[in-house]
Amino acid sequence: MNRLLKSITLAIILLFAMDLAAANNCITLTLEQSVISSDPEKYNPDHKGRRSMPIICIIDLTSGTVQTTLTSEIISYEIWNSDGTALVAQYIDEPDFVGSLCDVSGFYQLRFITESYQYIGYIELPGK
């Protein structure tokens, strides 16, 4: 029952976010949480631990802002190539990050870095 309630809540949030994004010059994406570990021996991809809920992110290209529950925790904003093997750009300032998204086109991986986690989402940019 709890899983059903979480799924329904997530669906409602997604619908609301899509309406908001359609009304403005916004991009909506879903971010997945991933642990940042400097010790590769501690990382176990087969570990079946507690699962985190996806986080909805709205990037407003007009106002140059990122709206998410993580905003106060974000240390840096990163743009990676689509398969996540090459860092394209890294920003500390939110407006600089959003402004750069207006200048590029293609499919990218976005990473929002916090002290303990990175949040990863994918975005397709039409360019100018």
Side-chain angles (χ1 to χ4, degrees), residues 49-91:
R50 185 173 160 217
R51 301 206 184 264
S52 62
M53 291 290 291
I55 294 175
I56 305 302
C57 173
I58 300 172
I59 301 172
D60 188 334
L61 300 174
T62 304
S63 67
T65 59
V66 176
Q67 300 167 14
T68 179
T69 56
L70 305 168
T71 304
S72 64
E73 301 173 37
I74 297 173
I75 297 169
S76 70
Y77 303 87
E78 298 179 350
I79 303 171
W80 289 72
N81 65 345
S82 61
D83 57 1
T85 56
L87 178 64
V88 175
Q90 181 179 31
Y91 300 92

Side-chain angles (χ1 to χ4, degrees), residues 6-7 9-11 13-14 29-33 51-57 68-70 119-120:
K6 286 181 182 178
S7 297
T9 302
L10 181 61
I13 291 170
L14 280 172
L29 64 143
T30 304
L31 303 172
E32 294 289 332
Q33 179 181 345
R51 301 206 184 264
S52 62
M53 291 290 291
I55 294 175
I56 305 302
C57 173
T68 179
T69 56
L70 305 168
Y119 296 86
I120 301 172

Side-chain angles (χ1 to χ4, degrees), residues 24-35:
N24 297 326
N25 191 13
C26 297
I27 299 168
T28 302
L29 64 143
T30 304
L31 303 172
E32 294 289 332
Q33 179 181 345
S34 174
V35 176

